[in-house]
Amino acid sequence: MTEKPRPKLRRLPINRLIPNMLTVSALCAGMTAINFASREMWEASVFAIVVAAILDGLDGRVARMLNAQSKFGAELDSLSDFVSFGVAPPMILYFWVLEGAGRVGWVFVLFFSVCMALRLARFNTALEDPNKQAWENNFFTGVPAPAGALLIMYPLVLSFMFGDDLFRSPFMAGFFLSIIGGLMVSRIPTFSFKKAKIPAAYVLPVMIAVGLFVAFLVSAPWAMLSVIGAIYLGSIPMSFQSYRKWKKRAADGELEEDEEIDVDTSVKEDN
């Protein structure tokens, strides 16, 4: 009697696992930020959230480059985002200053986490919207999760430069948690640069600008993060005006084919 051959285990090439490895690394960075905050290592905790945001921005793009998009990766990315951007940053602020505010401080933490969960849920369902026009992918609806996570730590970053006397305040932390949480679930359009194309003539200046940005970020990280946060908040009114112009042009049929962007819902790149 012949033995039946054992079924071969399915094997996946390593390049298909790289995007999920980046996502898991972002999750670990978010959890590590909480650990740092519990030990009052504030600068390290903020740095860990920045690392999580960078990894979150890379995983979707790497998945597209390697043709490794999957539904599993998209769901893992969403769960990782909630922990890294919806739980870790408000917990850092709680350990930093809101714990002294008692129950009120905890309410602000819960409010932001709920807003993050609602934002991610809305983003996931919007990916499957058949009525969404291609040009709308130039914009997010509300502030995306990584940006919201970094913006709520603005008071903490400013305290690194100017001291705790002015910015280490439960009122200040609660204000940012409330405002940024509201912006995340709002319908305000904000710029999305994930599909942006750079003209060939501007490639060299852009690379030079990136080099200068990295140099300043390494030499004066907190000042650069403060400037970036201020620029991003200032860009929100501009994005609203730009959205209205795009919408009007689309209604008038004035958009060119190359101005429309294809939608790829197999993997999320940002949220």
Side-chain angles (χ1 to χ4, degrees), residues 103-266:
R103 297 178 181 178
V104 176
W106 186 243
V107 168
F108 285 118
V109 172
L110 294 179
F111 174 79
F112 183 84
S113 295
V114 169
C115 288
M116 181 66 74
L118 293 174
R119 175 182 173 74
L120 293 172
R122 184 179 66 185
F123 182 84
N124 293 344
T125 55
L127 288 174
E128 303 172 2
D129 184 4
N131 299 318
K132 187 175 183 179
Q133 299 185 55
W135 65 267
E136 291 183 278
N137 290 276
N138 288 321
F139 302 91
F140 291 118
T141 302
V143 173
L150 293 172
L151 286 174
I152 65 167
M153 293 190 294
Y154 208 43
L156 183 55
V157 171
L158 290 175
S159 73
F160 296 155
M161 297 187 297
F162 303 109
D164 290 344
D165 295 339
L166 183 60
F167 296 102
R168 191 165 187 170
S169 162
F171 174 80
M172 180 77 72
F175 175 79
F176 271 82
L177 286 168
S178 303
I179 297 300
I180 303 303
L183 287 174
M184 288 196 305
V185 296
S186 71
R187 307 298 299 183
I188 298 174
T190 57
F191 286 124
S192 169
F193 300 103
K194 62 182 180 180
K195 300 284 187 177
K197 297 180 180 180
I198 301 173
Y202 292 98
V203 171
L204 184 58
V206 168
M207 296 303 294
I208 294 174
V210 170
L212 290 173
F213 169 78
V214 174
F216 279 111
L217 190 61
V218 171
S219 59
W222 311 126
M224 279 302 299
L225 287 176
S226 300
V227 170
I228 293 170
I231 292 175
Y232 183 83
L233 289 173
S235 73
I236 293 178
M238 297 171 58
S239 65
F240 181 73
Q241 293 296 327
S242 180
Y243 179 86
R244 293 181 61 183
K245 291 179 181 178
W246 276 82
K247 190 173 183 178
K248 185 178 184 302
R249 292 178 63 190
D252 296 339
E254 297 177 358
L255 289 181
E256 303 277 341
E257 283 189 12
D258 60 353
E259 291 183 287
E260 296 196 351
I261 300 175
D262 294 333
V263 182
D264 184 354
T265 61
S266 57

Side-chain angles (χ1 to χ4, degrees), residues 32 45 152 200 257 267:
T32 302
S45 64
I152 65 167
E257 283 189 12
V267 65

Side-chain angles (χ1 to χ4, degrees), residues 4-34:
K4 294 182 179 180
R6 295 181 180 179
K8 293 183 179 181
L9 295 176
R10 184 185 176 190
R11 298 182 181 181
L12 294 175
I14 190 66
N15 64 335
R16 294 190 63 86
L17 298 179
I18 292 176
N20 291 339
M21 291 178 181
L22 292 174
T23 302
V24 171
S25 298
L27 172 62
C28 293
M31 291 298 296
T32 302
I34 298 177

